[in-house]
């Protein structure tokens, strides 16, 4: 009987068939990152609430609407991490990583939590992989981290990927632009959604991200930040573009690109996959040159990105794959079961995948079970010390010397 309990809304179980595809994504990612000298890091699943309020931004959707916040028994306010960058910056400062050779290049993978309305590709517990290069403002770092995500998606075989690129400038140069943008929004206030209208003063950039048709119409004629970049910001952006061109990484400049977190400065980017529908972004990120200072550290420019593992798997259209077995060792009689187990162990030691019956099935039942678990060949041990090797695809069976089982199975 099914239990009355279900996984909480917006969460899911990762069953063995799905766990394999996930493990591959993580394995390939770790390889791609290691080749470029990025080191693994892991931080706790929850942090002081204030870290996200200050880091991600008081007026962002994440902080206003989406955090899983709770009080612990000591009366502290804690929050299940909605993102990985603020925690890593906290760890960077806490462990004095500014004393290490800069930039410090890190990667991570793990679960994140946002109380969003669940839909395909959007969950309340999801998993991200991400990288951070902390301690450099060089455009070379921008090109390197963007290149890592591009390489990873290519190596995984994610189809139909496009890179959108923008720049938010530095906070000083953005100030003038934001005034222009606010003036445009105020001039068209009547056509904006209530949500956007209420946030003209505190977060006008978010209007570019609105789903509402009226707001989108207003934003079509809005001034864009990319057009208003000047001085070092414009130079930095030009250099990033030149480096991507030189690396053969195709991109499209998207002057309306904004991201849902306040800490971004200068370069921002988003990898989208057309096949994904409404939640089309597989990964994205940007520079956050002011975040570490905002968390109480010295001025430390940095850049990074995060990609959603579920989105990557959706984009890959990954079927739930069950891996086959190289061999199943069947016992024709109960007396042969201990031999079957020993032989399976020998095969495993030689690097083959092998299983035996653990449920007391008769020979017929064992063959049926071997077929169900996708065993390619079955070695049947007979009482008289002989054995038969059965090919499960062709159904052919022939006598073999059980002493030569390893060779027969190609170990
Ligand atoms: P963000 O941390 O918002 O910049 O998002 C980075 C990536 O994480 C996105 O491109 C998605 O692939 C993934 N992501 C963000 N939020 C969710 C969610 N609620 N469910 C599934 N994946 C998500």
């Amino acid at each position: 009987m099914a239990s009355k309990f279900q996984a909480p809304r917006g969460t899911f179980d990762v069953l063995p068939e799905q766990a394999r595809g996930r493990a591959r994504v993580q394995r390939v990612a770790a390889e791609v990152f290691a080749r470029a000298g990025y080191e693994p890091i892991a931080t706790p699943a929850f942090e002081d609430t204030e870290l996200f309020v200050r880091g991600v931004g008081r007026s962002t959707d994440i902080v206003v609407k989406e955090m899983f916040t709770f009080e612990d028994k000591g009366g502290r306010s804690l929050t299940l991490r909605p993102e990985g960058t603020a925690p890593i910056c906290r760890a960077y400062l806490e462990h004095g990583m500014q004393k290490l050779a800069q930039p410090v290049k890190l990667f991570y993978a793990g679960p994140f939590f946002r109380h969003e309305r669940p839909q395909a590709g959007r969950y309340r517990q999801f998993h991200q992989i991400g990288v951070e290069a902390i301690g450099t403002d060089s455009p070379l770092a921008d090109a390197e981290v963007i290149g890592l995500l591009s390489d990873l998606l290519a190596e995984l075989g994610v189809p139909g990927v496009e890179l959108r690129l923008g720049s938010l400038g530095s906070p000083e140069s953005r100030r003038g632009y934001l005034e222009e943008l606010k003036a445009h929004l105020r001039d068209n206030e009547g056509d904006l959604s209530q949500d956007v209208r209420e946030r003209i003063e505190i977060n006008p950039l978010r209007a570019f991200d609105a789903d509402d048709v009226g707001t989108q119409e207003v934003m079509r004629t809005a001034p864009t930040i990319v057009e208003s970049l000047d001085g070092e910001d414009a130079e930095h952006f030009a250099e990033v573009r030149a480096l991507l061109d030189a690396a053969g990484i195709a991109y499209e400049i998207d002057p309306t690109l904004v991201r849902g977190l306040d800490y971004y400065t200068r370069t921002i980017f988003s990898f989208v996959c057309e096949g994904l529908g409404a939640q089309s972004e597989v990964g994205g990120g940007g520079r956050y040159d002011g975040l570490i200072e905002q968390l109480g550290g010295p001025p430390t420019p940095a850049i990074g990105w995060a990609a959603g593992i579920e989105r990557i798997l959706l984009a890959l259209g990954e079927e739930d794959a069950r891996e086959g077995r190289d061999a199943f060792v069947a016992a024709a009689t109960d007396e042969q079961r201990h031999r079957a187990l020993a032989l399976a162990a020998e095969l495993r030691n030689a690097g083959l995948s092998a299983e035996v019956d653990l449920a007391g099935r008769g020979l017929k039942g064992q063959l049926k079970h071997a077929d169900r678990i996708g065993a390619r060949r079955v070695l049947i041990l007979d009482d008289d010390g002989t054995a038969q090797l059965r090919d499960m695809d062709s159904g052919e069976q022939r006598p073999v010397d059980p002493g030569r089982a390893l060779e027969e199975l190609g170990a």
Side-chain angles (χ1 to χ4, degrees), residues 220-233:
R220 240 183 277 284
T221 52
T224 69
I225 194 154
V226 168
E227 292 158 357
S228 72
L229 289 180
D230 58 11
E232 288 182 11
D233 286 340

Side-chain angles (χ1 to χ4, degrees), residues 374-396:
R376 284 180 275 277
R377 282 164 301 177
V378 179
L379 192 70
I380 305 164
L381 302 182
D382 283 320
D383 254 353
D384 56 3
T386 63
Q388 305 273 329
L389 185 62
R390 184 183 179 94
D391 183 308
M392 297 301 275
D393 290 330
S394 65
E396 271 169 35

Side-chain angles (χ1 to χ4, degrees), residues 109-126:
F112 292 86
F113 308 86
R114 294 182 195 172
H115 198 280
E116 298 195 80
R117 196 168 46 78
Q119 62 182 86
R122 192 159 76 190
Y123 312 97
R124 291 185 174 171
Q125 175 173 342
F126 55 99

